[in-house]
Amino acid sequence: MRRFADAEVALRRAADVEKAARERSGWHARYLWAFAAGQLVLVPVAVLWHGFASAVAFGLGNTFFVTGLSLYAARQRVVRRGFGVKHGLVVGTWAVVFVLSVMLGSSAFGSSPAFAVVAALMCALPLATGAWLEMRRSS
């Protein structure tokens, strides 16, 4: 009988931990929303500005932005099961779109403000989609 009581306590504890992780995973949605919003500024800088000043402004802006988001993420106590795969998929998709946007913006579209707007929205899309899905999962 003791084994069944121990198993019941362990299962209850596991369910409580899973519930807490689900309820507290809203931080990841906030992280992704902030990352998506940053794309609306950083992508046009990367696409429209040229030369040394552009590289310095983009490098410093991106460094401060990523450092802030990383510090925020490191302070979170709870991650859900499968977090690494989901986060990797969202950020990997963003990275592919970002690289394509910068390459096309630099080579084919030059200083086109219209392309910069579309590229910024396309770079924010995978992050905003991930944030929206995370909000749905955590509730």
Side-chain angles (χ1 to χ4, degrees):
M1 285 309 266
R2 176 90 174 130
R3 288 183 193 162
F4 292 119
D6 290 344
E8 183 180 351
V9 169
L11 287 173
R12 190 175 306 125
R13 175 73 180 128
D16 290 344
V17 168
E18 183 69 26
K19 181 180 177 188
R22 191 173 50 254
E23 290 172 351
R24 294 182 184 149
S25 67
W27 72 267
H28 189 233
R30 291 186 296 275
Y31 171 95
L32 291 173
W33 282 123
F35 201 175
Q39 298 310 296
L40 302 178
V41 174
L42 291 174
V43 172
V45 167
V47 171
L48 295 176
W49 288 5
H50 303 287
F52 181 72
S54 168
V56 170
F58 180 76
L60 288 174
N62 208 18
T63 298
F64 287 128
F65 184 62
V66 169
T67 300
L69 285 175
S70 298
L71 289 172
Y72 174 73
R75 295 182 46 93
Q76 304 310 309
R77 297 178 359 177
V78 178
V79 294
R80 292 181 344 151
R81 186 181 344 214
F83 169 78
V85 172
K86 292 172 187 166
H87 184 71
L89 181 64
V90 169
V91 173
T93 304
W94 162 80
V96 169
V97 174
F98 180 77
V99 167
L100 287 173
S101 296
V102 171
M103 286 174 49
L104 283 172
S106 299
S107 62
F109 293 100
S111 296
S112 169
F115 177 78
V117 168
V118 170
L121 292 172
M122 292 305 295
C123 286
L125 184 62
L127 301 166
T129 302
W132 181 73
L133 289 173
E134 187 64 36
M135 286 174 50
R136 288 190 53 210
R137 285 184 205 118
S138 66
S139 55

